[in-house]
Amino acid sequence: MLYPKTSMSDALQYLTEQLDSWRKAGTFQRLRELESPCEPIAKFDGREVINLASNNYLGLANHPKLVEAAIEATRRYGAGSGAVRSISGTMSLHLELERRIAAFKNVEACVVFQSGFAANAGTVSALLGAEDHIISDELNHASIIDGCRLSRAKIHVFRHRDVAHAEEKLEALDGVAGRKLLITDGVFSMDGDIGPLDKLTELAERHGAIMMVDDAHSSGVLGRNGRGTVDHFHLHGRVDVQVGTLSKAVGVLGGYVCGSRDLIDFLYHRARPFLFSTSHPPAVPAACLAAFDIMEQEPERIEQLWTNTRLFQEGLRANGFSTGRSETPITPIMVGEAATAHAFSRALFEEGLFATGIGFPTVAEGKARVRTIVTATHSREILERAIEILTRVAKRMNIV
Ligand SMILES: *Cc1c(COP(=O)(O)O)cnc(C)c1O
């Protein structure tokens, strides 16, 4: 028998009211449907558009070598792993990928999680407890914030990239009981600026704090062959906990933590996403291994990413756009109000360009933006066309 689809009880009515208020404010977001692989020109909602909305920095998400590796691993080992890592879901490919990443990052050991989100939330909450302290940049990623909350440690937020403010927070904790964790994003995901990891690491060393960095947007982007901010700042051996993702530049899915053998063994025993959520299907570590091959063999991809970034940002600035604090391929186009950002994004889409509108609460009120990310595989011709579309639409909307 088929059950009729009924509307729910009134208990969820508040959701409808909230959604209606977003619709009125112009901030309700319909999901765009990707109908092709993730590429510089991709098909969303039935239209071929220039794609400036992905994190596929090196163009690996649809690279034939990754696709082949995923297919081959699926044929040999199946579609799923069958269990969480700590029971029977640790496959040879998972361990091979962990060894590969540890060698790449020049650390003793590595653990791979299902996502960068799980890596951050699972690690912070495993390392700290209610009697401990976390000193955290105000713009750190949501997964760090959730990890901090889950740990029940006391959270001390310092102003964005403000090393003196972080020091004040640490000084106030000198002699106070409990462990201390100093944590920053390597590259900040909404602004594209780089965290002052060198100075923060010195602070952590002086005040006996654990130093942790989230390199989600720096993996594959900064440092030699994309080794991340520790390599970029020459801090090898000095940052206790390095998180990275396999979901962005690496082109697949996952997050990892790098550090000492003991750190990783501890996380094997205590990180809740590792213990209580099933491991990646074999296709994932296999494709990631192929991605690391490419990152090591084709450094010109990263060079092209930075060449494209310079070309695109110079073009935007020459046309009067404000690109905020960006120092990396993440390029925000600042517009102010959230409704303007969403309207700008929609108008750009109509003209053949996809870039995401981002407003409160993802960024502060009044700091709304359209966020763009170029990749190594955008051609010069595509980037020039993108700048032309952005400028034309922004002029029409009085944004520049
Ligand atoms: C995207 C992102 C994450 C989460 O990574 P996923 O692998 O997508 O879960 C964590 N931290 C930062 C700074 C990010 O931008």
Side-chain angles (χ1 to χ4, degrees), residues 55 114-118 120 141 143-144 185 187-189 214-217 243-248 253-255:
N55 302 311
Q114 298 86 352
S115 68
F117 197 107
N120 273 328
H141 191 259
S143 54
I144 293 177
D185 279 8
V187 170
F188 288 85
S189 52
D214 173 8
D215 262 348
H217 281 286
V243 170
T245 54
L246 304 166
S247 327
K248 289 172 177 155
L253 173 70

Side-chain angles (χ1 to χ4, degrees), residues 272-287:
R272 291 168 73 84
F274 187 88
L275 297 167
F276 296 108
S277 183
T278 297
S279 57
H280 281 150
V284 171

Side-chain angles (χ1 to χ4, degrees), residues 3-14:
Y3 290 97
K5 276 191 197 158
T6 52
S7 55
M8 297 294 155
S9 72
D10 288 345
L12 287 176
Q13 181 58 29
Y14 70 102

Side-chain angles (χ1 to χ4, degrees), residues 82-119:
V84 302
R85 287 284 306 272
S86 56
I87 310 250
S88 63
T90 294
M91 303 177 96
S92 307
L93 279 166
H94 296 130
L95 294 174
E96 187 183 343
L97 178 61
E98 290 181 343
R99 284 192 296 270
R100 178 68 181 273
I101 298 172
F104 180 73
K105 299 279 279 191
N106 190 31
V107 292
E108 282 178 16
C110 168
V111 50
V112 170
F113 286 88
Q114 298 86 352
S115 68
F117 197 107

Side-chain angles (χ1 to χ4, degrees), residues 60 65-67 69-70 100 285-295 297:
L60 297 180
K65 286 189 178 154
L66 275 72
V67 173
R100 178 68 181 273
C288 290
L289 283 162
F292 280 95
D293 285 342
I294 294 170
M295 283 159 58
Q297 290 159 13

